[in-house]
Amino acid sequence: MDRRKGIVTLAGNPMTLLGPELKPGDPAPAFTVVDADLKPVGLGDLGGGVRLLSAVPSLDTPVCELQTKRFHQEAAALPPEVTIATISMDLPFAQKRFCATHGIDRIRVLSDYKDASFGLAYGVLIEEVRLLARSIFVIGPDDVVRYVEIVPEVGTHPDYDRALAAVRSLAG
């Protein structure tokens, strides 16, 4: 198991990421998370088009909430072959409540609580707190990673514009 230090901080404290360092051009790793009904969901279940995977530590925090809402809002303007998924360690029940409260229905919200399969496969599981590091992965229709952003300070926003530009370049 790869252990990478110094990639992210949480409230200024250095954290350890578990899993490989993915780069554009790498094959997208398989993973299994669960949806609000506790059904397993893998990469292939997110469609065969462009997929934007938005990892957040917890939907119950302001930046994670805003990140999820932003991608939900952007989804309306993207081609139908684009799938956006927010993945966190939150329990599926809490995710379902969050989506109902905020009217989130254009993106998938998925939980990695069970096995940390996504976090370990994509190298964003924070060892010290067992949460996902804030990160964005864009996967092409060929199941190849095309864009990666791991946000250095977990409490700050990702570069939404760059991630969306990567999606549009693949979907257009």
mmCIF file of all heavy atoms in Angstrom, residues 56-73:
data_model
loop_
_atom_site.group_PDB
_atom_site.id
_atom_site.type_symbol
_atom_site.label_atom_id
_atom_site.label_comp_id
_atom_site.label_asym_id
_atom_site.label_seq_id
_atom_site.Cartn_x
_atom_site.Cartn_y
_atom_site.Cartn_z
ATOM 1 N N VAL A 56 -15.088 14.489 -1.898
ATOM 2 C CA VAL A 56 -15.150 15.476 -0.819
ATOM 3 C C VAL A 56 -15.044 14.752 0.524
ATOM 4 O O VAL A 56 -15.453 13.599 0.637
ATOM 5 C CB VAL A 56 -16.452 16.314 -0.882
ATOM 6 C CG1 VAL A 56 -16.550 17.080 -2.187
ATOM 7 C CG2 VAL A 56 -17.696 15.456 -0.687
ATOM 8 N N PRO A 57 -14.513 15.433 1.547
ATOM 9 C CA PRO A 57 -14.419 14.798 2.862
ATOM 10 C C PRO A 57 -15.789 14.514 3.482
ATOM 11 O O PRO A 57 -16.039 13.402 3.932
ATOM 12 C CB PRO A 57 -13.643 15.804 3.714
ATOM 13 C CG PRO A 57 -12.893 16.641 2.725
ATOM 14 C CD PRO A 57 -13.753 16.695 1.499
ATOM 15 N N SER A 58 -16.691 15.507 3.516
ATOM 16 C CA SER A 58 -18.018 15.301 4.095
ATOM 17 C C SER A 58 -18.981 16.359 3.586
ATOM 18 O O SER A 58 -18.674 17.552 3.622
ATOM 19 C CB SER A 58 -17.965 15.371 5.626
ATOM 20 O OG SER A 58 -19.286 15.284 6.141
ATOM 21 N N LEU A 59 -20.154 15.920 3.149
ATOM 22 C CA LEU A 59 -21.165 16.845 2.640
ATOM 23 C C LEU A 59 -21.656 17.809 3.712
ATOM 24 O O LEU A 59 -22.246 18.836 3.396
ATOM 25 C CB LEU A 59 -22.349 16.059 2.072
ATOM 26 C CG LEU A 59 -22.035 15.238 0.825
ATOM 27 C CD1 LEU A 59 -23.208 14.330 0.489
ATOM 28 C CD2 LEU A 59 -21.691 16.127 -0.334
ATOM 29 N N ASP A 60 -21.400 17.494 4.975
ATOM 30 C CA ASP A 60 -21.854 18.332 6.083
ATOM 31 C C ASP A 60 -20.883 19.461 6.418
ATOM 32 O O ASP A 60 -20.902 19.983 7.531
ATOM 33 C CB ASP A 60 -22.100 17.474 7.331
ATOM 34 C CG ASP A 60 -23.352 16.633 7.204
ATOM 35 O OD1 ASP A 60 -24.310 17.077 6.551
ATOM 36 O OD2 ASP A 60 -23.366 15.522 7.762
ATOM 37 N N THR A 61 -20.027 19.814 5.486
ATOM 38 C CA THR A 61 -19.117 20.941 5.696
ATOM 39 C C THR A 61 -19.345 21.957 4.579
ATOM 40 O O THR A 61 -19.754 21.593 3.469
ATOM 41 C CB THR A 61 -17.644 20.484 5.711
ATOM 42 O OG1 THR A 61 -17.331 19.908 4.443
ATOM 43 C CG2 THR A 61 -17.389 19.462 6.821
ATOM 44 N N PRO A 62 -19.093 23.232 4.847
ATOM 45 C CA PRO A 62 -19.439 24.285 3.878
ATOM 46 C C PRO A 62 -18.788 24.139 2.499
ATOM 47 O O PRO A 62 -19.466 24.293 1.484
ATOM 48 C CB PRO A 62 -18.985 25.574 4.568
ATOM 49 C CG PRO A 62 -18.973 25.245 6.026
ATOM 50 C CD PRO A 62 -18.620 23.789 6.112
ATOM 51 N N VAL A 63 -17.496 23.851 2.429
ATOM 52 C CA VAL A 63 -16.826 23.767 1.121
ATOM 53 C C VAL A 63 -17.336 22.555 0.342
ATOM 54 O O VAL A 63 -17.589 22.646 -0.860
ATOM 55 C CB VAL A 63 -15.289 23.748 1.275
ATOM 56 C CG1 VAL A 63 -14.607 23.572 -0.072
ATOM 57 C CG2 VAL A 63 -14.803 25.040 1.943
ATOM 58 N N CYS A 64 -17.524 21.437 1.015
ATOM 59 C CA CYS A 64 -18.040 20.230 0.347
ATOM 60 C C CYS A 64 -19.453 20.467 -0.176
ATOM 61 O O CYS A 64 -19.789 20.050 -1.286
ATOM 62 C CB CYS A 64 -18.033 19.040 1.299
ATOM 63 S SG CYS A 64 -16.386 18.588 1.890
ATOM 64 N N GLU A 65 -20.260 21.135 0.620
ATOM 65 C CA GLU A 65 -21.614 21.464 0.198
ATOM 66 C C GLU A 65 -21.581 22.339 -1.051
ATOM 67 O O GLU A 65 -22.270 22.061 -2.045
ATOM 68 C CB GLU A 65 -22.364 22.184 1.325
ATOM 69 C CG GLU A 65 -23.765 22.606 0.940
ATOM 70 C CD GLU A 65 -24.488 23.354 2.046
ATOM 71 O OE1 GLU A 65 -24.291 23.022 3.237
ATOM 72 O OE2 GLU A 65 -25.264 24.263 1.708
ATOM 73 N N LEU A 66 -20.749 23.385 -1.022
ATOM 74 C CA LEU A 66 -20.660 24.291 -2.174
ATOM 75 C C LEU A 66 -20.090 23.587 -3.410
ATOM 76 O O LEU A 66 -20.548 23.829 -4.528
ATOM 77 C CB LEU A 66 -19.827 25.520 -1.822
ATOM 78 C CG LEU A 66 -20.485 26.478 -0.832
ATOM 79 C CD1 LEU A 66 -19.495 27.555 -0.391
ATOM 80 C CD2 LEU A 66 -21.731 27.101 -1.435
ATOM 81 N N GLN A 67 -19.117 22.721 -3.214
ATOM 82 C CA GLN A 67 -18.533 21.983 -4.338
ATOM 83 C C GLN A 67 -19.590 21.102 -5.000
ATOM 84 O O GLN A 67 -19.714 21.071 -6.226
ATOM 85 C CB GLN A 67 -17.362 21.130 -3.834
ATOM 86 C CG GLN A 67 -16.657 20.344 -4.921
ATOM 87 C CD GLN A 67 -15.405 19.658 -4.383
ATOM 88 O OE1 GLN A 67 -14.770 20.117 -3.446
ATOM 89 N NE2 GLN A 67 -15.047 18.537 -4.992
ATOM 90 N N THR A 68 -20.368 20.408 -4.196
ATOM 91 C CA THR A 68 -21.408 19.530 -4.721
ATOM 92 C C THR A 68 -22.490 20.339 -5.432
ATOM 93 O O THR A 68 -22.925 19.985 -6.532
ATOM 94 C CB THR A 68 -21.986 18.667 -3.586
ATOM 95 O OG1 THR A 68 -20.903 17.938 -3.001
ATOM 96 C CG2 THR A 68 -23.035 17.709 -4.091
ATOM 97 N N LYS A 69 -22.904 21.445 -4.833
ATOM 98 C CA LYS A 69 -23.912 22.306 -5.459
ATOM 99 C C LYS A 69 -23.399 22.896 -6.766
ATOM 100 O O LYS A 69 -24.155 23.007 -7.744
ATOM 101 C CB LYS A 69 -24.311 23.432 -4.506
ATOM 102 C CG LYS A 69 -25.180 22.990 -3.355
ATOM 103 C CD LYS A 69 -25.467 24.191 -2.454
ATOM 104 C CE LYS A 69 -26.447 23.902 -1.374
ATOM 105 N NZ LYS A 69 -26.659 25.089 -0.510
ATOM 106 N N ARG A 70 -22.133 23.277 -6.814
ATOM 107 C CA ARG A 70 -21.565 23.868 -8.035
ATOM 108 C C ARG A 70 -21.595 22.861 -9.179
ATOM 109 O O ARG A 70 -22.016 23.179 -10.292
ATOM 110 C CB ARG A 70 -20.129 24.343 -7.757
ATOM 111 C CG ARG A 70 -19.346 24.771 -8.990
ATOM 112 C CD ARG A 70 -19.788 26.120 -9.550
ATOM 113 N NE ARG A 70 -19.124 26.441 -10.794
ATOM 114 C CZ ARG A 70 -18.024 27.163 -10.895
ATOM 115 N NH1 ARG A 70 -17.451 27.668 -9.815
ATOM 116 N NH2 ARG A 70 -17.492 27.400 -12.071
ATOM 117 N N PHE A 71 -21.146 21.641 -8.921
ATOM 118 C CA PHE A 71 -21.154 20.643 -9.993
ATOM 119 C C PHE A 71 -22.581 20.249 -10.373
ATOM 120 O O PHE A 71 -22.858 19.978 -11.539
ATOM 121 C CB PHE A 71 -20.292 19.429 -9.641
ATOM 122 C CG PHE A 71 -18.820 19.707 -9.769
ATOM 123 C CD1 PHE A 71 -17.950 19.476 -8.732
ATOM 124 C CD2 PHE A 71 -18.298 20.213 -10.955
ATOM 125 C CE1 PHE A 71 -16.594 19.732 -8.852
ATOM 126 C CE2 PHE A 71 -16.935 20.477 -11.093
ATOM 127 C CZ PHE A 71 -16.089 20.233 -10.030
ATOM 128 N N HIS A 72 -23.497 20.244 -9.424
ATOM 129 C CA HIS A 72 -24.902 19.992 -9.733
ATOM 130 C C HIS A 72 -25.430 21.063 -10.673
ATOM 131 O O HIS A 72 -26.102 20.782 -11.669
ATOM 132 C CB HIS A 72 -25.730 19.944 -8.443
ATOM 133 C CG HIS A 72 -27.184 19.767 -8.687
ATOM 134 N ND1 HIS A 72 -28.080 20.806 -8.631
ATOM 135 C CD2 HIS A 72 -27.907 18.665 -9.003
ATOM 136 C CE1 HIS A 72 -29.286 20.351 -8.901
ATOM 137 N NE2 HIS A 72 -29.213 19.064 -9.126
ATOM 138 N N GLN A 73 -25.101 22.313 -10.380
ATOM 139 C CA GLN A 73 -25.534 23.442 -11.212
ATOM 140 C C GLN A 73 -24.923 23.346 -12.616
ATOM 141 O O GLN A 73 -25.607 23.530 -13.615
ATOM 142 C CB GLN A 73 -25.107 24.739 -10.526
ATOM 143 C CG GLN A 73 -25.569 26.005 -11.187
ATOM 144 C CD GLN A 73 -25.114 27.213 -10.367
ATOM 145 O OE1 GLN A 73 -23.974 27.268 -9.901
ATOM 146 N NE2 GLN A 73 -25.996 28.162 -10.194
#
